[in-house]
């Protein structure tokens, strides 16, 4: 244990030495290598509760926060990469969240795609119930300008975070619908079908989901994956929103206007929904639905 105490003191001195430097001053690669290896060693020992040193962990988080704001791309990259590992240590996330603005800047503005990827990973790791709406909204905005080779990963991360931290499932549905709108080609079947599963298993969500998808179908720019989700949900739960103002005929029109431009798999979903809608709205079965089908 005495050896470990001496190691702790050495690590503390290394971290303290960097504080004396100017953040704008160019550092030697050797010095940065020592700093990063020291932080990695602190993270390694933190896996053992008896050897965890909270003070050194907090100092490491502060130091990494400075690194990710430096001009040198290699240092920013290593800073984000190491910070992602540090964030997995219990008790460090609150300190790391202080760097949210800097990490968001790296995501949007950094010219190096490898750094943008690391910033994306970092936001995913640091997301929790306190900042999930903000981070998810940030990622949705980023989606519009994101590199094509990371959009699939970005879509998956948004979907996972939205479901994990949804305090209101209506919010979750809205997020996935926005995701389909912004990046429909990258939304896999697993993602949009998960929405259907959740709606099916949550009775008090069915009316909201049906109404939301009915409104979404009125848009000429709805993505085909959105049409699939709408077809499934309205086929099963159209009876929840049928009123004097919203008839079965209105719901049928909203779906059928997209039929001719949809692929065959989507058309199959819509045809199945028409049959279910006919049962939910029998007054239109012969007068409206059958002639148009």
């Amino acid at each position: 244990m005495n050896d470990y105490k001496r190691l702790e003191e050495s690590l503390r001195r290394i971290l303290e030495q960097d504080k004396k430097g100017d953040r704008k001053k160019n550092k030697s690669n050797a010095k940065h290598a020592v700093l990063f290896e020291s932080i990695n060693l602190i993270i390694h020992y933190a896996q053992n509760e008896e050897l965890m040193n909270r003070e050194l962990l907090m100092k490491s988080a502060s130091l990494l926060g400075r690194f990710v704001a430096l001009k040198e791309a290699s240092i920013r990259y290593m800073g984000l990469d190491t910070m992602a590992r540090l964030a997995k240590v219990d008790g460090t996330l609150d300190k790391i969240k202080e760097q949210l603005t800097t990490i968001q800047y790296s995501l949007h503005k950094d010219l190096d795609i490898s750094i943008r990827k690391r910033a994306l990973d970092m936001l995913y790791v640091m997301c929790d119930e306190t900042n999930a709406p903000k981070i998810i909204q940030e990622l949705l905005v980023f989606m519009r300008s994101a590199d094509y080779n990371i959009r699939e990963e970005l879509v998956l991360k948004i979907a996972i975070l939205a479901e994990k931290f949804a305090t209101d499932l209506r919010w979750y549905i809205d997020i996935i619908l926005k995701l389909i709108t912004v990046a429909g080609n990258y939304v896999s079947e697993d993602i949009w079908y998960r929405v259907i599963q959740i709606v099916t298993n949550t009775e008090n969500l069915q009316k909201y989901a049906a109404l939301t998808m009915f409104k979404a179908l009125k848009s000429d720019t709805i993505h085909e994956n959105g049409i699939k989700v709408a077809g499934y949900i309205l086929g099963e739960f159209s009876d929840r929103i049928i009123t004097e103002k919203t008839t079965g005929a209105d719901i049928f029109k909203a779906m059928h206007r997209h039929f001719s431009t949809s692929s065959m798999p989507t058309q199959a979903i819509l045809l199945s929904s028409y049959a279910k809608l006919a049962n939910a709205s029998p007054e239109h079965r012969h007068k409206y639905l059958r002639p148009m089908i």
Side-chain angles (χ1 to χ4, degrees):
M1 187 60 70
N2 289 334
D3 289 339
Y4 179 69
K5 290 297 181 182
R6 286 195 292 270
L7 175 60
E8 278 187 333
E9 185 57 34
S10 297
L11 292 170
R12 185 178 291 105
R13 285 200 301 270
I14 291 171
L15 299 185
E16 289 291 341
Q17 281 178 1
D18 191 78
K19 282 187 176 181
K20 300 175 184 178
D22 185 348
R23 62 180 289 180
K24 295 182 180 179
K25 182 181 178 181
N26 288 329
K27 309 283 188 176
S28 68
N29 290 335
K31 185 173 183 180
H32 279 121
V34 171
L35 284 166
F36 280 117
E37 286 305 315
S38 297
I39 295 173
N40 285 329
L41 189 57
I42 292 168
I43 295 172
H44 173 74
Y45 277 112
Q47 297 174 15
N48 186 327
E49 291 186 7
E50 295 182 1
L51 300 179
M52 180 186 293
N53 187 306
R54 190 67 57 186
E55 177 196 357
L56 292 180
L57 288 170
M58 295 301 102
K59 288 181 182 293
S60 297
S62 297
L63 191 57
L64 291 172
R66 292 167 54 196
F67 285 166
V68 299
L70 291 178
K71 292 182 179 180
E72 296 88 341
S74 60
I75 303 302
R76 295 199 305 275
Y77 178 90
M78 290 297 295
L80 288 167
D81 187 59
T82 306
M83 188 181 285
R85 292 197 297 275
L86 179 61
K88 296 177 183 179
V89 178
D90 290 341
T92 62
L93 195 56
D94 286 341
K95 185 68 176 177
I96 290 174
K97 285 192 292 186
E98 295 175 6
Q99 310 302 326
L100 179 59
T101 300
T102 302
I103 295 170
Q104 288 173 330
Y105 181 86
S106 296
L107 180 70
H108 288 282
K109 301 297 184 179
D110 206 293
L111 298 178
D112 191 325
I113 185 174
S114 64
I115 293 177
R116 294 198 296 274
K117 285 183 177 181
R118 282 291 170 264
L120 171 59
D121 292 340
M122 192 61 240
L123 288 175
Y124 180 76
V125 170
M126 68 193 300
C127 188
D128 63 13
E129 61 277 357
T130 67
N131 58 20
K134 181 177 181 179
I135 288 179
I136 290 172
Q137 183 58 40
E138 192 75 27
L139 295 179
L140 283 170
V141 172
F142 174 61
M143 176 67 75
R144 299 180 183 276
S145 59
D147 302 87
Y148 289 105
N149 60 347
I150 67 171
R151 288 194 178 189
E152 187 173 348
E153 177 186 357
L154 179 55
V155 165
L156 181 60
K157 279 180 163 58
I158 293 173
I160 291 173
L161 293 176
E163 182 174 351
K164 183 177 181 180
F165 296 111
T167 56
D168 183 346
L169 288 176
R170 292 176 297 179
W171 173 79
Y172 168 73
I173 289 177
D174 291 341
I175 291 297
I176 300 300
L177 184 56
K178 287 180 182 178
L179 195 56
I180 291 173
T181 301
V182 173
N185 289 337
Y186 299 90
V187 178
S188 67
E189 182 176 313
D190 289 339
I191 293 175
W192 62 258
Y193 194 70
R194 178 62 180 152
V195 176
I196 296 169
Q197 288 180 315
I198 290 175
V199 172
T200 300
N201 295 326
T202 311
E203 186 173 353
N204 60 5
L205 189 63
Q206 292 163 1
K207 181 177 180 179
Y208 178 82
L211 186 59
T212 298
M213 298 316 301
F214 173 61
K215 292 178 179 178
L217 285 173
K218 295 180 180 180
S219 171
D220 292 329
T221 59
I222 185 173
H223 190 272
E224 187 160 342
N225 280 334
I227 298 172
K228 291 177 181 178
V229 175
Y232 270 111
I233 290 178
L234 290 173
E236 295 293 335
F237 309 114
S238 59
D239 60 303
R240 307 290 198 276
I241 62 172
I242 290 178
T243 62
E244 291 183 1
K245 293 183 177 181
T246 304
T247 65
D250 294 327
I251 297 172
F252 175 83
K253 286 180 182 179
M255 289 191 289
H256 196 65
R257 66 194 294 264
H258 300 284
F259 186 87
S260 62
T261 57
S262 296
S263 65
M264 290 186 65
T266 304
Q267 288 179 347
I269 293 172
L270 291 176
L271 287 172
S272 175
S273 299
Y274 297 167
K276 294 175 182 178
L277 182 60
N279 290 327
S281 183
E283 69 275 16
H284 296 291
R285 185 177 301 169
H286 299 293
K287 294 181 181 179
Y288 191 80
L289 295 175
R290 188 176 178 182
M292 290 198 70
I293 296 176

